[in-house]
Amino acid sequence: MPSKHVPLSASLVDYIERCHSQSEDPLLHELREETLALGDVSIMQITPEQGAFLSLLIGALGVQRPIEVGTFTGYSAICLARPLPEEGTLLCLDSSEEWTDLARKYWERAGILDRIELKLGDAEESIQSIPEEPLFDFAFIDADKTRYDAYFELLLPRLAKGSVMVFDNMLWGGRVLPEPLVEPDARAINALNRKLACDLRVESVLLPVADGLNICRKL
Ligand SMILES: C[S@@+](CC[C@H](N)C(=O)[O-])C[C@H]1O[C@@H](n2cnc3c(N)ncnc32)[C@H](O)[C@@H]1O
């Protein structure tokens, strides 16, 4: 039986990156270029189709109060904040002043500065300082991988029932296999993928979008 999973060549990846709405968005393109100039760290930015997918989810689900863990230079935050309704607000958590200064510059240019609250500091401490109530209706997690499970546990009680949580890098460049794993990030991601698949508090699906998105919904 041939596999229905298509191995992605560089030209297919390029094709995917062009076949979504806003693929030529000049502001996002400029932010990608400026982030690229930062050097190797630019690999942390989400891909264009991941951004388009996040925007689509926010709009389709009618999200009003999302939270982002791991903001970097602000690309994913733009994708999360733009489709919000007028009264919607995004809370962004990051520990880097330098990178989020660049993010702010682009949020201002995108006209969404008033829709985004940025909290600088350790993300786990920032979430712990938020009351344990269902304040948010969407979460995007894209910070330090060994703490993904902690973010999941901390965010779950702060999300309303039915809310969606999206974790990036859940294929970790393919290094989630073979077991046993040694690298701490790979171990943490693999353990969380396996946990989410059988955690009765959520339903989840692992999708091979770029470096892998695990999408779960609070039941
Ligand atoms: C992969 S990048 C986020 C990329 C971003 N979502 C985008 O699309 O451009 C990870 C970010 O998490 C932040 N980070 C890592 N560990 C953190 C922690 N413990 N607390 C807060 N932020 C953290 C880093 O400063 C970095 O900006």
Side-chain angles (χ1 to χ4, degrees):
M1 246 323 237
S3 170
K4 291 197 88 169
H5 294 95
V6 180
L8 294 180
S9 61
S11 50
L12 267 180
V13 169
D14 185 52
Y15 178 75
I16 289 169
E17 292 199 342
R18 279 183 284 117
C19 290
H20 62 80
S21 312
Q22 310 283 327
S23 62
E24 301 299 329
D25 183 294
L27 188 85
L28 287 178
H29 182 73
E30 207 181 313
L31 173 53
R32 186 164 294 283
E33 291 293 307
E34 193 164 347
T35 304
L36 209 58
L38 296 175
D40 289 347
V41 291
S42 65
I43 190 76
M44 294 202 292
Q45 190 174 57
I46 60 163
T47 64
E49 77 277 17
Q50 285 185 314
F53 184 51
L54 288 175
S55 289
L56 188 150
L57 279 180
I58 295 289
L61 298 170
V63 170
Q64 300 204 7
R65 183 76 178 123
I67 178 168
E68 170 176 87
V69 184
T71 295
F72 190 38
T73 56
Y75 190 104
S76 49
I78 293 177
C79 300
L80 294 169
R82 267 183 174 166
L84 291 176
E86 213 171 297
E87 65 281 12
T89 49
L90 165 68
L91 176 62
C92 287
L93 308 180
D94 204 288
S95 51
S96 167
E97 198 165 350
E98 182 195 341
W99 290 331
T100 54
D101 274 351
L102 185 56
R104 274 183 204 275
K105 189 175 96 178
Y106 279 85
W107 297 343
E108 187 163 15
R109 287 180 54 195
I112 53 172
L113 202 51
D114 60 340
R115 245 182 269 170
I116 302 180
E117 184 193 340
L118 171 67
K119 204 168 163 56
L120 282 177
D122 178 74
E124 215 172 310
E125 287 170 20
S126 294
I127 303 171
Q128 275 161 346
S129 73
I130 300 167
E132 213 176 297
E133 293 162 23
L135 292 168
F136 302 101
D137 54 5
F138 188 94
F140 178 55
I141 296 99
D142 190 18
D144 42 346
K145 312 306 163 194
T146 52
R147 293 210 267 176
Y148 268 28
D149 186 40
Y151 297 139
F152 171 70
E153 291 296 340
L154 285 169
L155 286 171
L156 203 58
R158 291 166 172 87
L159 284 167
K161 199 174 162 205
S163 301
V164 166
M165 243 190 262
V166 178
F167 295 87
D168 192 20
N169 306 108
M170 296 302 274
L171 288 174
W172 201 234
R175 297 186 301 279
V176 286
L177 290 174
E179 294 177 89
L181 299 163
V182 178
E183 199 225 326
D185 288 330
R187 284 171 67 108
I189 288 169
N190 177 48
L192 183 58
N193 277 327
R194 291 184 183 281
K195 169 175 161 172
L196 293 175
C198 55
D199 191 317
L200 298 178
R201 298 170 296 172
V202 293
E203 61 176 343
S204 76
V205 60
L206 175 59
L207 295 176
V209 184
D211 194 24
L213 296 177
N214 197 318
I215 303 176
C216 58
R217 186 173 77 100
K218 180 175 171 176
L219 297 174

